[in-house]
PDB file of all heavy atoms in Angstrom:
ATOM      1  N   LEU A   1       0.999 -15.295  13.062  1.00 98.00           N
ATOM      2  CA  LEU A   1       0.534 -16.447  13.751  1.00 98.00           C
ATOM      3  C   LEU A   1      -0.681 -17.100  13.074  1.00 98.00           C
ATOM      4  O   LEU A   1      -1.498 -16.367  12.399  1.00 98.00           O
ATOM      5  CB  LEU A   1       0.155 -16.063  15.167  1.00 98.00           C
ATOM      6  CG  LEU A   1       1.272 -15.520  16.068  1.00 98.00           C
ATOM      7  CD1 LEU A   1       0.729 -15.132  17.443  1.00 98.00           C
ATOM      8  CD2 LEU A   1       2.345 -16.623  16.277  1.00 98.00           C
ATOM      9  N   ALA A   2      -0.745 -18.393  13.149  1.00 96.00           N
ATOM     10  CA  ALA A   2      -1.903 -19.097  12.462  1.00 96.00           C
ATOM     11  C   ALA A   2      -3.213 -18.497  12.810  1.00 96.00           C
ATOM     12  O   ALA A   2      -4.117 -18.417  11.934  1.00 96.00           O
ATOM     13  CB  ALA A   2      -1.805 -20.599  12.778  1.00 96.00           C
ATOM     14  N   GLU A   3      -3.442 -18.088  14.017  1.00 97.00           N
ATOM     15  CA  GLU A   3      -4.746 -17.556  14.514  1.00 97.00           C
ATOM     16  C   GLU A   3      -5.138 -16.222  13.763  1.00 97.00           C
ATOM     17  O   GLU A   3      -6.264 -15.892  13.726  1.00 97.00           O
ATOM     18  CB  GLU A   3      -4.730 -17.349  15.962  1.00 97.00           C
ATOM     19  CG  GLU A   3      -3.703 -16.361  16.485  1.00 97.00           C
ATOM     20  CD  GLU A   3      -3.401 -16.423  17.938  1.00 97.00           C
ATOM     21  OE1 GLU A   3      -2.883 -17.487  18.360  1.00 97.00           O
ATOM     22  OE2 GLU A   3      -3.745 -15.423  18.642  1.00 97.00           O
ATOM     23  N   ASN A   4      -4.097 -15.526  13.191  1.00 98.00           N
ATOM     24  CA  ASN A   4      -4.259 -14.310  12.574  1.00 98.00           C
ATOM     25  C   ASN A   4      -4.200 -14.318  11.072  1.00 98.00           C
ATOM     26  O   ASN A   4      -4.324 -13.300  10.391  1.00 98.00           O
ATOM     27  CB  ASN A   4      -3.331 -13.194  13.100  1.00 98.00           C
ATOM     28  CG  ASN A   4      -3.451 -12.925  14.600  1.00 98.00           C
ATOM     29  OD1 ASN A   4      -4.678 -12.884  15.069  1.00 98.00           O
ATOM     30  ND2 ASN A   4      -2.434 -12.648  15.234  1.00 98.00           N
ATOM     31  N   PHE A   5      -4.076 -15.519  10.578  1.00 98.00           N
ATOM     32  CA  PHE A   5      -3.820 -15.653   9.099  1.00 98.00           C
ATOM     33  C   PHE A   5      -5.006 -15.060   8.297  1.00 98.00           C
ATOM     34  O   PHE A   5      -4.730 -14.315   7.282  1.00 98.00           O
ATOM     35  CB  PHE A   5      -3.640 -17.201   8.762  1.00 98.00           C
ATOM     36  CG  PHE A   5      -3.728 -17.367   7.301  1.00 98.00           C
ATOM     37  CD1 PHE A   5      -2.659 -17.036   6.404  1.00 98.00           C
ATOM     38  CD2 PHE A   5      -4.901 -17.895   6.686  1.00 98.00           C
ATOM     39  CE1 PHE A   5      -2.727 -17.216   5.061  1.00 98.00           C
ATOM     40  CE2 PHE A   5      -4.951 -18.159   5.315  1.00 98.00           C
ATOM     41  CZ  PHE A   5      -3.924 -17.783   4.437  1.00 98.00           C
ATOM     42  N   GLU A   6      -6.242 -15.387   8.622  1.00 98.00           N
ATOM     43  CA  GLU A   6      -7.281 -14.965   7.748  1.00 98.00           C
ATOM     44  C   GLU A   6      -7.391 -13.426   7.638  1.00 98.00           C
ATOM     45  O   GLU A   6      -7.637 -12.831   6.502  1.00 98.00           O
ATOM     46  CB  GLU A   6      -8.655 -15.507   8.241  1.00 98.00           C
ATOM     47  CG  GLU A   6      -9.852 -15.142   7.289  1.00 98.00           C
ATOM     48  CD  GLU A   6     -11.064 -15.890   7.603  1.00 98.00           C
ATOM     49  OE1 GLU A   6     -11.101 -16.758   8.495  1.00 98.00           O
ATOM     50  OE2 GLU A   6     -12.065 -15.766   6.785  1.00 98.00           O
ATOM     51  N   GLU A   7      -7.258 -12.731   8.807  1.00 98.00           N
ATOM     52  CA  GLU A   7      -7.393 -11.296   8.742  1.00 98.00           C
ATOM     53  C   GLU A   7      -6.192 -10.668   7.989  1.00 98.00           C
ATOM     54  O   GLU A   7      -6.416  -9.646   7.247  1.00 98.00           O
ATOM     55  CB  GLU A   7      -7.331 -10.757  10.220  1.00 98.00           C
ATOM     56  CG  GLU A   7      -8.571 -11.150  11.008  1.00 98.00           C
ATOM     57  CD  GLU A   7      -9.848 -10.675  10.388  1.00 98.00           C
ATOM     58  OE1 GLU A   7      -9.861  -9.549   9.813  1.00 98.00           O
ATOM     59  OE2 GLU A   7     -10.866 -11.417  10.433  1.00 98.00           O
ATOM     60  N   CYS A   8      -4.984 -11.188   8.133  1.00 98.00           N
ATOM     61  CA  CYS A   8      -3.897 -10.686   7.435  1.00 98.00           C
ATOM     62  C   CYS A   8      -4.081 -10.938   5.860  1.00 98.00           C
ATOM     63  O   CYS A   8      -3.702 -10.065   5.032  1.00 98.00           O
ATOM     64  CB  CYS A   8      -2.561 -11.297   7.865  1.00 98.00           C
ATOM     65  SG  CYS A   8      -2.088 -10.791   9.552  1.00 98.00           S
ATOM     66  N   PHE A   9      -4.540 -12.127   5.525  1.00 98.00           N
ATOM     67  CA  PHE A   9      -4.728 -12.467   4.113  1.00 98.00           C
ATOM     68  C   PHE A   9      -5.760 -11.484   3.501  1.00 98.00           C
ATOM     69  O   PHE A   9      -5.623 -11.046   2.388  1.00 98.00           O
ATOM     70  CB  PHE A   9      -5.166 -13.891   3.961  1.00 98.00           C
ATOM     71  CG  PHE A   9      -5.170 -14.347   2.521  1.00 98.00           C
ATOM     72  CD1 PHE A   9      -4.024 -14.828   1.892  1.00 98.00           C
ATOM     73  CD2 PHE A   9      -6.348 -14.276   1.750  1.00 98.00           C
ATOM     74  CE1 PHE A   9      -4.022 -15.171   0.582  1.00 98.00           C
ATOM     75  CE2 PHE A   9      -6.351 -14.679   0.444  1.00 98.00           C
ATOM     76  CZ  PHE A   9      -5.202 -15.122  -0.109  1.00 98.00           C
ATOM     77  N   LYS A  10      -6.833 -11.189   4.209  1.00 98.00           N
ATOM     78  CA  LYS A  10      -7.856 -10.249   3.707  1.00 98.00           C
ATOM     79  C   LYS A  10      -7.211  -8.949   3.394  1.00 98.00           C
ATOM     80  O   LYS A  10      -7.575  -8.283   2.386  1.00 98.00           O
ATOM     81  CB  LYS A  10      -8.918 -10.066   4.707  1.00 98.00           C
ATOM     82  CG  LYS A  10      -9.865 -11.230   4.907  1.00 98.00           C
ATOM     83  CD  LYS A  10     -10.960 -10.911   5.945  1.00 98.00           C
ATOM     84  CE  LYS A  10     -11.930 -12.139   6.108  1.00 98.00           C
ATOM     85  NZ  LYS A  10     -12.896 -11.871   7.124  1.00 98.00           N
ATOM     86  N   ILE A  11      -6.318  -8.435   4.201  1.00 98.00           N
ATOM     87  CA  ILE A  11      -5.598  -7.098   3.991  1.00 98.00           C
ATOM     88  C   ILE A  11      -4.810  -7.201   2.689  1.00 98.00           C
ATOM     89  O   ILE A  11      -4.862  -6.314   1.766  1.00 98.00           O
ATOM     90  CB  ILE A  11      -4.783  -6.757   5.155  1.00 98.00           C
ATOM     91  CG1 ILE A  11      -5.670  -6.520   6.421  1.00 98.00           C
ATOM     92  CG2 ILE A  11      -3.898  -5.526   4.844  1.00 98.00           C
ATOM     93  CD1 ILE A  11      -4.867  -6.470   7.662  1.00 98.00           C
ATOM     94  N   TYR A  12      -4.037  -8.301   2.526  1.00 97.00           N
ATOM     95  CA  TYR A  12      -3.132  -8.455   1.346  1.00 97.00           C
ATOM     96  C   TYR A  12      -4.098  -8.591   0.055  1.00 97.00           C
ATOM     97  O   TYR A  12      -3.761  -8.065  -0.953  1.00 97.00           O
ATOM     98  CB  TYR A  12      -2.261  -9.622   1.462  1.00 97.00           C
ATOM     99  CG  TYR A  12      -0.826  -9.252   1.798  1.00 97.00           C
ATOM    100  CD1 TYR A  12      -0.547  -8.474   2.874  1.00 97.00           C
ATOM    101  CD2 TYR A  12       0.214  -9.753   0.998  1.00 97.00           C
ATOM    102  CE1 TYR A  12       0.757  -8.189   3.189  1.00 97.00           C
ATOM    103  CE2 TYR A  12       1.509  -9.336   1.305  1.00 97.00           C
ATOM    104  CZ  TYR A  12       1.784  -8.541   2.406  1.00 97.00           C
ATOM    105  OH  TYR A  12       3.053  -8.186   2.701  1.00 97.00           O
ATOM    106  N   ALA A  13      -5.162  -9.306   0.229  1.00 97.00           N
ATOM    107  CA  ALA A  13      -6.029  -9.498  -0.966  1.00 97.00           C
ATOM    108  C   ALA A  13      -6.658  -8.163  -1.339  1.00 97.00           C
ATOM    109  O   ALA A  13      -6.736  -7.805  -2.625  1.00 97.00           O
ATOM    110  CB  ALA A  13      -7.207 -10.413  -0.597  1.00 97.00           C
ATOM    111  N   ASP A  14      -7.028  -7.294  -0.390  1.00 96.00           N
ATOM    112  CA  ASP A  14      -7.535  -5.972  -0.786  1.00 96.00           C
ATOM    113  C   ASP A  14      -6.473  -5.144  -1.412  1.00 96.00           C
ATOM    114  O   ASP A  14      -6.766  -4.445  -2.467  1.00 96.00           O
ATOM    115  CB  ASP A  14      -8.064  -5.310   0.529  1.00 96.00           C
ATOM    116  CG  ASP A  14      -8.863  -4.053   0.233  1.00 96.00           C
ATOM    117  OD1 ASP A  14      -9.460  -3.911  -0.876  1.00 96.00           O
ATOM    118  OD2 ASP A  14      -8.893  -3.137   1.063  1.00 96.00           O
ATOM    119  N   MET A  15      -5.276  -5.150  -0.910  1.00 96.00           N
ATOM    120  CA  MET A  15      -4.167  -4.407  -1.482  1.00 96.00           C
ATOM    121  C   MET A  15      -3.987  -4.810  -2.923  1.00 96.00           C
ATOM    122  O   MET A  15      -3.764  -3.930  -3.814  1.00 96.00           O
ATOM    123  CB  MET A  15      -2.843  -4.735  -0.709  1.00 96.00           C
ATOM    124  CG  MET A  15      -2.701  -4.107   0.617  1.00 96.00           C
ATOM    125  SD  MET A  15      -1.357  -4.846   1.613  1.00 96.00           S
ATOM    126  CE  MET A  15      -0.094  -5.113   0.387  1.00 96.00           C
ATOM    127  N   ILE A  16      -4.022  -6.069  -3.208  1.00 94.00           N
ATOM    128  CA  ILE A  16      -3.677  -6.546  -4.594  1.00 94.00           C
ATOM    129  C   ILE A  16      -4.818  -6.288  -5.540  1.00 94.00           C
ATOM    130  O   ILE A  16      -4.642  -5.898  -6.712  1.00 94.00           O
ATOM    131  CB  ILE A  16      -3.342  -8.041  -4.499  1.00 94.00           C
ATOM    132  CG1 ILE A  16      -1.944  -8.266  -3.888  1.00 94.00           C
ATOM    133  CG2 ILE A  16      -3.356  -8.705  -5.944  1.00 94.00           C
ATOM    134  CD1 ILE A  16      -1.662  -9.646  -3.485  1.00 94.00           C
ATOM    135  N   LEU A  17      -6.062  -6.447  -5.077  1.00 93.00           N
ATOM    136  CA  LEU A  17      -7.225  -6.284  -5.978  1.00 93.00           C
ATOM    137  C   LEU A  17      -7.678  -4.832  -6.103  1.00 93.00           C
ATOM    138  O   LEU A  17      -8.207  -4.494  -7.169  1.00 93.00           O
ATOM    139  CB  LEU A  17      -8.393  -7.126  -5.398  1.00 93.00           C
ATOM    140  CG  LEU A  17      -8.220  -8.637  -5.434  1.00 93.00           C
ATOM    141  CD1 LEU A  17      -9.349  -9.346  -4.628  1.00 93.00           C
ATOM    142  CD2 LEU A  17      -8.212  -9.150  -6.879  1.00 93.00           C
ATOM    143  N   ASN A  18      -7.492  -4.028  -5.098  1.00 94.00           N
ATOM    144  CA  ASN A  18      -8.145  -2.678  -5.111  1.00 94.00           C
ATOM    145  C   ASN A  18      -7.136  -1.557  -4.744  1.00 94.00           C
ATOM    146  O   ASN A  18      -7.553  -0.635  -4.054  1.00 94.00           O
ATOM    147  CB  ASN A  18      -9.260  -2.730  -4.027  1.00 94.00           C
ATOM    148  CG  ASN A  18     -10.280  -3.856  -4.297  1.00 94.00           C
ATOM    149  OD1 ASN A  18     -10.827  -3.951  -5.365  1.00 94.00           O
ATOM    150  ND2 ASN A  18     -10.437  -4.637  -3.293  1.00 94.00           N
ATOM    151  N   PRO A  19      -5.959  -1.468  -5.341  1.00 95.00           N
ATOM    152  CA  PRO A  19      -5.095  -0.379  -5.018  1.00 95.00           C
ATOM    153  C   PRO A  19      -5.648   0.876  -5.680  1.00 95.00           C
ATOM    154  O   PRO A  19      -6.159   0.880  -6.801  1.00 95.00           O
ATOM    155  CB  PRO A  19      -3.760  -0.817  -5.694  1.00 95.00           C
ATOM    156  CG  PRO A  19      -4.171  -1.697  -6.831  1.00 95.00           C
ATOM    157  CD  PRO A  19      -5.363  -2.446  -6.338  1.00 95.00           C
ATOM    158  N   GLU A  20      -5.505   2.044  -5.018  1.00 95.00           N
ATOM    159  CA  GLU A  20      -6.011   3.310  -5.466  1.00 95.00           C
ATOM    160  C   GLU A  20      -4.938   4.084  -6.309  1.00 95.00           C
ATOM    161  O   GLU A  20      -5.341   4.803  -7.231  1.00 95.00           O
ATOM    162  CB  GLU A  20      -6.481   4.101  -4.335  1.00 95.00           C
ATOM    163  CG  GLU A  20      -7.782   3.670  -3.701  1.00 95.00           C
ATOM    164  CD  GLU A  20      -8.916   4.154  -4.594  1.00 95.00           C
ATOM    165  OE1 GLU A  20      -9.334   3.446  -5.578  1.00 95.00           O
ATOM    166  OE2 GLU A  20      -9.422   5.275  -4.324  1.00 95.00           O
ATOM    167  N   PHE A  21      -3.678   3.936  -5.929  1.00 96.00           N
ATOM    168  CA  PHE A  21      -2.628   4.785  -6.608  1.00 96.00           C
ATOM    169  C   PHE A  21      -3.030   6.247  -6.589  1.00 96.00           C
ATOM    170  O   PHE A  21      -2.937   6.948  -7.604  1.00 96.00           O
ATOM    171  CB  PHE A  21      -2.403   4.305  -8.047  1.00 96.00           C
ATOM    172  CG  PHE A  21      -1.747   2.976  -8.245  1.00 96.00           C
ATOM    173  CD1 PHE A  21      -1.720   2.085  -7.119  1.00 96.00           C
ATOM    174  CD2 PHE A  21      -1.241   2.603  -9.399  1.00 96.00           C
ATOM    175  CE1 PHE A  21      -1.095   0.830  -7.305  1.00 96.00           C
ATOM    176  CE2 PHE A  21      -0.638   1.319  -9.565  1.00 96.00           C
ATOM    177  CZ  PHE A  21      -0.510   0.413  -8.490  1.00 96.00           C
ATOM    178  N   LYS A  22      -3.415   6.738  -5.355  1.00 95.00           N
ATOM    179  CA  LYS A  22      -3.774   8.148  -5.248  1.00 95.00           C
ATOM    180  C   LYS A  22      -2.570   9.046  -5.584  1.00 95.00           C
ATOM    181  O   LYS A  22      -1.437   8.729  -5.229  1.00 95.00           O
ATOM    182  CB  LYS A  22      -4.261   8.436  -3.842  1.00 95.00           C
ATOM    183  CG  LYS A  22      -5.556   7.740  -3.502  1.00 95.00           C
ATOM    184  CD  LYS A  22      -6.021   8.022  -2.102  1.00 95.00           C
ATOM    185  CE  LYS A  22      -7.318   7.362  -1.814  1.00 95.00           C
ATOM    186  NZ  LYS A  22      -7.759   7.543  -0.386  1.00 95.00           N
ATOM    187  N   LYS A  23      -2.884  10.196  -6.128  1.00 94.00           N
ATOM    188  CA  LYS A  23      -1.810  11.064  -6.574  1.00 94.00           C
ATOM    189  C   LYS A  23      -0.829  11.464  -5.469  1.00 94.00           C
ATOM    190  O   LYS A  23       0.356  11.470  -5.663  1.00 94.00           O
ATOM    191  CB  LYS A  23      -2.346  12.389  -7.234  1.00 94.00           C
ATOM    192  CG  LYS A  23      -1.339  13.287  -7.825  1.00 94.00           C
ATOM    193  CD  LYS A  23      -1.953  14.559  -8.450  1.00 94.00           C
ATOM    194  CE  LYS A  23      -0.945  15.343  -9.225  1.00 94.00           C
ATOM    195  NZ  LYS A  23       0.262  15.681  -8.293  1.00 94.00           N
ATOM    196  N   GLU A  24      -1.355  11.866  -4.341  1.00 96.00           N
ATOM    197  CA  GLU A  24      -0.443  12.245  -3.244  1.00 96.00           C
ATOM    198  C   GLU A  24       0.490  11.140  -2.828  1.00 96.00           C
ATOM    199  O   GLU A  24       1.659  11.366  -2.507  1.00 96.00           O
ATOM    200  CB  GLU A  24      -1.242  12.827  -2.034  1.00 96.00           C
ATOM    201  CG  GLU A  24      -2.252  11.803  -1.400  1.00 96.00           C
ATOM    202  CD  GLU A  24      -3.581  11.854  -1.992  1.00 96.00           C
ATOM    203  OE1 GLU A  24      -3.763  12.284  -3.233  1.00 96.00           O
ATOM    204  OE2 GLU A  24      -4.537  11.495  -1.297  1.00 96.00           O
ATOM    205  N   GLU A  25      -0.086   9.903  -2.757  1.00 96.00           N
ATOM    206  CA  GLU A  25       0.733   8.754  -2.418  1.00 96.00           C
ATOM    207  C   GLU A  25       1.765   8.442  -3.572  1.00 96.00           C
ATOM    208  O   GLU A  25       2.916   8.095  -3.329  1.00 96.00           O
ATOM    209  CB  GLU A  25      -0.118   7.502  -2.143  1.00 96.00           C
ATOM    210  CG  GLU A  25      -1.003   7.630  -0.858  1.00 96.00           C
ATOM    211  CD  GLU A  25      -0.134   7.480   0.380  1.00 96.00           C
ATOM    212  OE1 GLU A  25       1.113   7.290   0.315  1.00 96.00           O
ATOM    213  OE2 GLU A  25      -0.765   7.709   1.462  1.00 96.00           O
ATOM    214  N   LEU A  26       1.276   8.565  -4.783  1.00 97.00           N
ATOM    215  CA  LEU A  26       2.184   8.278  -5.923  1.00 97.00           C
ATOM    216  C   LEU A  26       3.355   9.255  -5.965  1.00 97.00           C
ATOM    217  O   LEU A  26       4.519   8.788  -6.130  1.00 97.00           O
ATOM    218  CB  LEU A  26       1.349   8.432  -7.195  1.00 97.00           C
ATOM    219  CG  LEU A  26       2.040   8.027  -8.523  1.00 97.00           C
ATOM    220  CD1 LEU A  26       2.269   6.528  -8.535  1.00 97.00           C
ATOM    221  CD2 LEU A  26       1.083   8.355  -9.719  1.00 97.00           C
ATOM    222  N   ASP A  27       3.063  10.518  -5.708  1.00 96.00           N
ATOM    223  CA  ASP A  27       4.088  11.505  -5.777  1.00 96.00           C
ATOM    224  C   ASP A  27       5.097  11.346  -4.600  1.00 96.00           C
ATOM    225  O   ASP A  27       6.308  11.564  -4.750  1.00 96.00           O
ATOM    226  CB  ASP A  27       3.548  12.883  -5.683  1.00 96.00           C
ATOM    227  CG  ASP A  27       2.816  13.295  -7.024  1.00 96.00           C
ATOM    228  OD1 ASP A  27       3.041  12.583  -8.089  1.00 96.00           O
ATOM    229  OD2 ASP A  27       1.940  14.266  -7.032  1.00 96.00           O
ATOM    230  N   ARG A  28       4.567  10.995  -3.472  1.00 96.00           N
ATOM    231  CA  ARG A  28       5.473  10.741  -2.317  1.00 96.00           C
ATOM    232  C   ARG A  28       6.322   9.515  -2.560  1.00 96.00           C
ATOM    233  O   ARG A  28       7.593   9.489  -2.279  1.00 96.00           O
ATOM    234  CB  ARG A  28       4.594  10.512  -1.092  1.00 96.00           C
ATOM    235  CG  ARG A  28       5.410  10.409   0.197  1.00 96.00           C
ATOM    236  CD  ARG A  28       4.633  10.683   1.459  1.00 96.00           C
ATOM    237  NE  ARG A  28       3.232  10.219   1.399  1.00 96.00           N
ATOM    238  CZ  ARG A  28       2.169  10.943   1.550  1.00 96.00           C
ATOM    239  NH1 ARG A  28       2.312  12.202   1.716  1.00 96.00           N
ATOM    240  NH2 ARG A  28       0.940  10.455   1.447  1.00 96.00           N
ATOM    241  N   GLU A  29       5.735   8.455  -3.099  1.00 97.00           N
ATOM    242  CA  GLU A  29       6.526   7.189  -3.317  1.00 97.00           C
ATOM    243  C   GLU A  29       7.496   7.318  -4.403  1.00 97.00           C
ATOM    244  O   GLU A  29       8.497   6.622  -4.350  1.00 97.00           O
ATOM    245  CB  GLU A  29       5.582   6.049  -3.524  1.00 97.00           C
ATOM    246  CG  GLU A  29       6.066   4.663  -3.145  1.00 97.00           C
ATOM    247  CD  GLU A  29       6.437   4.544  -1.683  1.00 97.00           C
ATOM    248  OE1 GLU A  29       5.881   5.312  -0.834  1.00 97.00           O
ATOM    249  OE2 GLU A  29       7.264   3.647  -1.377  1.00 97.00           O
TER     250      GLU A  29
END
C-alpha cells in the first residue's frame, strides 16, 4: 500500500546495501 511504501523501501535498501551472508544462513540456503 502507498502508505507503507517508505518503510518497505527502507527494508529493501538495507538488504541490498548491507547483506551479511552469515555462514549459518549461507549453508542453509
Side-chain angles (χ1 to χ4, degrees):
L1 297 177
E3 63 197 65
N4 296 326
F5 166 74
E6 183 168 4
E7 292 304 321
C8 292
F9 189 86
K10 286 180 179 179
I11 296 167
Y12 257 55
D14 190 27
M15 285 165 40
I16 289 166
L17 292 169
N18 306 303
E20 282 282 88
F21 289 16
K22 292 179 180 177
K23 184 180 186 305
E24 60 270 25
E25 292 289 356
L26 188 65
D27 290 341
R28 184 163 38 240
E29 204 61 23

